[in-house]
Amino acid sequence: MSIKELEDELDTFSRKNGMAGFIYNPMVDECLSLTYEQMSKMDREECCKRAYILAQYGLFIQKQINREAAKLSWLDENISRIVAKECDNYGDKFVKYEVKRDLVLANNTHAEELSTVARMCRAKMKDFEFIASNIKFMSSILIDLNSSKWTR
């Protein structure tokens, strides 16, 4: 199986389980750039609407994190298989596994490509995790603002 086939399989899985509809909503940018002044002028309905948009975006981001995690797992497994097959060519039992692994990656083009894609997946996941926590925070601010407008 290739990474493309894995992505196709993940897409099929999403469609079969009703998760294909998680797409980016351009209104997210507007919601994230609201100033305090703009938020304080919003009515309760607008607060709820924007909190919902951010919650949807949170689901979209989580789906992206899960997708990258699935790809990363697949990549790591394939890298491990290559390393297991070739590591004995790079020293005896006294050479550390990490050194052998790095030598295999440096000398096996396919393993090196997989490793590069894995690094990109990890970077995307780090970026998405930061975004996801901030989206949740922004959504909770709007929900709190909505609640405070109810008690006025």
Side-chain angles (χ1 to χ4, degrees):
M1 175 182 279
S2 69
I3 192 88
K4 174 69 173 123
E5 291 170 328
L6 174 66
E7 288 177 336
D8 291 345
E9 189 65 32
L10 291 171
D11 289 340
T12 300
F13 178 78
S14 289
R15 277 192 304 279
K16 285 182 179 178
N17 290 287
M19 296 180 291
F22 294 137
I23 58 172
Y24 176 74
N25 181 343
M27 282 192 66
V28 168
D29 293 333
E30 186 181 315
C31 293
L32 292 175
S33 63
L34 289 171
T35 65
Y36 176 77
E37 203 172 90
Q38 290 170 317
M39 284 192 298
S40 63
K41 290 179 182 177
M42 288 191 304
D43 62 16
R44 293 185 62 243
E45 184 177 330
E46 190 65 21
C47 285
C48 288
K49 177 182 165 186
R50 291 180 187 251
Y52 183 75
I53 289 168
L54 290 176
Q56 282 181 313
Y57 185 55
L59 287 173
F60 170 78
I61 291 294
Q62 187 60 55
K63 182 181 176 195
Q64 299 306 311
I65 291 170
N66 294 350
R67 184 181 188 89
E68 293 302 315
K71 286 171 29 180
L72 184 58
S73 178
W74 182 89
L75 289 160
D76 285 342
E77 183 178 317
N78 280 279
I79 291 167
S80 292
R81 285 182 182 164
I82 293 169
V83 170
K85 287 179 186 175
E86 295 187 20
C87 72
D88 289 339
N89 298 335
Y90 297 95
D92 55 19
K93 64 182 179 182
F94 299 107
V95 177
K96 290 184 179 182
Y97 173 79
E98 293 80 14
V99 172
K100 288 182 180 183
R101 183 181 189 282
D102 290 344
L103 288 168
V104 169
L105 293 178
N107 292 298
N108 182 306
T109 306
H110 182 61
E112 187 176 19
E113 289 170 1
L114 293 176
S115 181
T116 299
V117 175
R119 279 194 303 277
M120 292 298 293
C121 286
R122 284 185 183 89
K124 288 177 187 177
M125 288 174 63
K126 287 280 187 201
D127 190 38
F128 282 143
E129 287 167 3
F130 173 77
I131 292 169
S133 64
N134 283 302
I135 294 298
K136 184 177 180 181
F137 177 67
M138 294 291 290
S139 181
S140 68
I141 288 173
L142 288 170
I143 291 169
D144 290 345
L145 182 61
N146 174 46
S147 296
S148 72
K149 289 178 183 273
W150 179 262
T151 58
R152 288 185 197 171

PDB file of all heavy atoms in Angstrom, residues 132-142:
ATOM      1  N   ALA A 132      -6.089  23.730  17.566  1.00  0.00           N
ATOM      2  CA  ALA A 132      -7.290  23.111  18.153  1.00  0.00           C
ATOM      3  C   ALA A 132      -7.560  23.632  19.562  1.00  0.00           C
ATOM      4  O   ALA A 132      -8.700  23.944  19.906  1.00  0.00           O
ATOM      5  CB  ALA A 132      -7.145  21.594  18.167  1.00  0.00           C
ATOM      6  N   SER A 133      -6.527  23.756  20.374  1.00  0.00           N
ATOM      7  CA  SER A 133      -6.743  24.232  21.738  1.00  0.00           C
ATOM      8  C   SER A 133      -7.184  25.701  21.745  1.00  0.00           C
ATOM      9  O   SER A 133      -8.016  26.095  22.556  1.00  0.00           O
ATOM     10  CB  SER A 133      -5.491  24.034  22.592  1.00  0.00           C
ATOM     11  OG  SER A 133      -4.424  24.806  22.101  1.00  0.00           O
ATOM     12  N   ASN A 134      -6.666  26.489  20.833  1.00  0.00           N
ATOM     13  CA  ASN A 134      -7.068  27.895  20.763  1.00  0.00           C
ATOM     14  C   ASN A 134      -8.479  28.068  20.210  1.00  0.00           C
ATOM     15  O   ASN A 134      -9.206  28.957  20.635  1.00  0.00           O
ATOM     16  CB  ASN A 134      -6.061  28.699  19.942  1.00  0.00           C
ATOM     17  CG  ASN A 134      -4.813  28.989  20.739  1.00  0.00           C
ATOM     18  OD1 ASN A 134      -4.885  29.586  21.794  1.00  0.00           O
ATOM     19  ND2 ASN A 134      -3.675  28.532  20.254  1.00  0.00           N
ATOM     20  N   ILE A 135      -8.867  27.220  19.279  1.00  0.00           N
ATOM     21  CA  ILE A 135     -10.231  27.265  18.745  1.00  0.00           C
ATOM     22  C   ILE A 135     -11.229  26.951  19.858  1.00  0.00           C
ATOM     23  O   ILE A 135     -12.239  27.629  20.013  1.00  0.00           O
ATOM     24  CB  ILE A 135     -10.399  26.261  17.574  1.00  0.00           C
ATOM     25  CG1 ILE A 135      -9.542  26.670  16.375  1.00  0.00           C
ATOM     26  CG2 ILE A 135     -11.860  26.105  17.181  1.00  0.00           C
ATOM     27  CD1 ILE A 135      -9.886  27.994  15.775  1.00  0.00           C
ATOM     28  N   LYS A 136     -10.927  25.938  20.641  1.00  0.00           N
ATOM     29  CA  LYS A 136     -11.813  25.565  21.756  1.00  0.00           C
ATOM     30  C   LYS A 136     -11.931  26.742  22.731  1.00  0.00           C
ATOM     31  O   LYS A 136     -13.018  27.050  23.217  1.00  0.00           O
ATOM     32  CB  LYS A 136     -11.262  24.331  22.458  1.00  0.00           C
ATOM     33  CG  LYS A 136     -12.143  23.820  23.551  1.00  0.00           C
ATOM     34  CD  LYS A 136     -11.602  22.559  24.177  1.00  0.00           C
ATOM     35  CE  LYS A 136     -12.510  22.078  25.274  1.00  0.00           C
ATOM     36  NZ  LYS A 136     -12.021  20.882  25.931  1.00  0.00           N
ATOM     37  N   PHE A 137     -10.818  27.399  23.008  1.00  0.00           N
ATOM     38  CA  PHE A 137     -10.821  28.541  23.919  1.00  0.00           C
ATOM     39  C   PHE A 137     -11.670  29.684  23.358  1.00  0.00           C
ATOM     40  O   PHE A 137     -12.489  30.270  24.071  1.00  0.00           O
ATOM     41  CB  PHE A 137      -9.383  29.004  24.180  1.00  0.00           C
ATOM     42  CG  PHE A 137      -9.276  30.214  25.053  1.00  0.00           C
ATOM     43  CD1 PHE A 137      -9.635  30.148  26.386  1.00  0.00           C
ATOM     44  CD2 PHE A 137      -8.828  31.413  24.538  1.00  0.00           C
ATOM     45  CE1 PHE A 137      -9.550  31.265  27.211  1.00  0.00           C
ATOM     46  CE2 PHE A 137      -8.736  32.533  25.339  1.00  0.00           C
ATOM     47  CZ  PHE A 137      -9.094  32.461  26.679  1.00  0.00           C
ATOM     48  N   MET A 138     -11.499  29.987  22.076  1.00  0.00           N
ATOM     49  CA  MET A 138     -12.266  31.069  21.456  1.00  0.00           C
ATOM     50  C   MET A 138     -13.765  30.753  21.465  1.00  0.00           C
ATOM     51  O   MET A 138     -14.586  31.629  21.725  1.00  0.00           O
ATOM     52  CB  MET A 138     -11.787  31.310  20.026  1.00  0.00           C
ATOM     53  CG  MET A 138     -10.383  31.844  19.903  1.00  0.00           C
ATOM     54  SD  MET A 138     -10.222  33.527  20.499  1.00  0.00           S
ATOM     55  CE  MET A 138     -11.107  34.413  19.242  1.00  0.00           C
ATOM     56  N   SER A 139     -14.108  29.512  21.198  1.00  0.00           N
ATOM     57  CA  SER A 139     -15.510  29.114  21.210  1.00  0.00           C
ATOM     58  C   SER A 139     -16.096  29.258  22.613  1.00  0.00           C
ATOM     59  O   SER A 139     -17.218  29.743  22.784  1.00  0.00           O
ATOM     60  CB  SER A 139     -15.637  27.667  20.721  1.00  0.00           C
ATOM     61  OG  SER A 139     -16.979  27.275  20.713  1.00  0.00           O
ATOM     62  N   SER A 140     -15.323  28.881  23.633  1.00  0.00           N
ATOM     63  CA  SER A 140     -15.825  28.997  25.006  1.00  0.00           C
ATOM     64  C   SER A 140     -16.004  30.460  25.412  1.00  0.00           C
ATOM     65  O   SER A 140     -16.919  30.778  26.171  1.00  0.00           O
ATOM     66  CB  SER A 140     -14.914  28.264  25.985  1.00  0.00           C
ATOM     67  OG  SER A 140     -13.666  28.900  26.088  1.00  0.00           O
ATOM     68  N   ILE A 141     -15.180  31.342  24.904  1.00  0.00           N
ATOM     69  CA  ILE A 141     -15.352  32.777  25.178  1.00  0.00           C
ATOM     70  C   ILE A 141     -16.698  33.252  24.635  1.00  0.00           C
ATOM     71  O   ILE A 141     -17.442  33.969  25.315  1.00  0.00           O
ATOM     72  CB  ILE A 141     -14.198  33.603  24.577  1.00  0.00           C
ATOM     73  CG1 ILE A 141     -12.916  33.378  25.371  1.00  0.00           C
ATOM     74  CG2 ILE A 141     -14.542  35.089  24.532  1.00  0.00           C
ATOM     75  CD1 ILE A 141     -11.683  34.014  24.747  1.00  0.00           C
ATOM     76  N   LEU A 142     -17.009  32.836  23.405  1.00  0.00           N
ATOM     77  CA  LEU A 142     -18.284  33.243  22.812  1.00  0.00           C
ATOM     78  C   LEU A 142     -19.469  32.651  23.571  1.00  0.00           C
ATOM     79  O   LEU A 142     -20.496  33.307  23.752  1.00  0.00           O
ATOM     80  CB  LEU A 142     -18.339  32.849  21.336  1.00  0.00           C
ATOM     81  CG  LEU A 142     -17.440  33.683  20.424  1.00  0.00           C
ATOM     82  CD1 LEU A 142     -17.364  33.063  19.039  1.00  0.00           C
ATOM     83  CD2 LEU A 142     -17.942  35.120  20.335  1.00  0.00           C
TER      84      LEU A 142
END
